[in-house]
Amino acid sequence: MYKSKIVEIGELVSDFKEENLLVLFGKDAPSELADISILHEPDAEEKDILQVNKTIQIAGNKYQILKVGDEANSNFNDLGHVSIYFSDNNRDILPGAILVYPGNFPEFELNEEILVF
């Protein structure tokens, strides 16, 4: 299981809600990326955790992982970075992204958990 805590919410994160896109980054993200990201700090890490049919939970909102880009796990392992597309339809994604279902954008606050199991 992967467990992390939301430590900062970038001021531009809500701008991506309409596109159903959420960007996660580790707490040491460069400032230009921190503005568009949820910054998180792991409590418990597991490598290569982003896998099809696993669940990602963001502040109590559960999503099934439908697709995992070729670079998603290496970016998440090294930088805590992944782009999450929320969709009810099967669609193409970028190499550093995952696609999850259902397509509703999550509600979240500081200090809430991100889990992958």
Side-chain angles (χ1 to χ4, degrees), residues 2 46-56 63-74 76-77 82 93 97-101 115-117:
Y2 180 92
E46 182 179 320
K47 299 294 183 191
D48 300 329
I49 190 71
L50 303 174
Q51 302 293 329
V52 171
N53 292 323
K54 287 210 174 205
T55 298
I56 184 166
Y63 302 90
Q64 179 185 10
I65 299 174
L66 301 178
K67 283 188 176 181
V68 178
D70 293 342
E71 297 173 17
N73 274 298
S74 62
F76 199 65
N77 293 343
V82 68
I93 58 171
I98 63 173
L99 177 70
V100 301
Y101 172 86
L115 306 172
V116 183
F117 52 93

Side-chain angles (χ1 to χ4, degrees), residues 35-99:
D35 288 342
I36 64 166
S37 303
I38 286 184
L39 303 187
H40 63 103
E41 184 173 17
D43 293 332
E45 290 187 64
E46 182 179 320
K47 299 294 183 191
D48 300 329
I49 190 71
L50 303 174
Q51 302 293 329
V52 171
N53 292 323
K54 287 210 174 205
T55 298
I56 184 166
Q57 181 175 312
I58 302 169
N61 303 281
K62 292 182 181 179
Y63 302 90
Q64 179 185 10
I65 299 174
L66 301 178
K67 283 188 176 181
V68 178
D70 293 342
E71 297 173 17
N73 274 298
S74 62
N75 288 346
F76 199 65
N77 293 343
D78 297 342
L79 306 169
H81 170 61
V82 68
S83 297
I84 304 171
Y85 291 93
F86 300 87
S87 181
D88 292 331
N89 300 313
N90 199 353
R91 59 177 277 190
D92 291 333
I93 58 171
L94 297 171
I98 63 173
L99 177 70

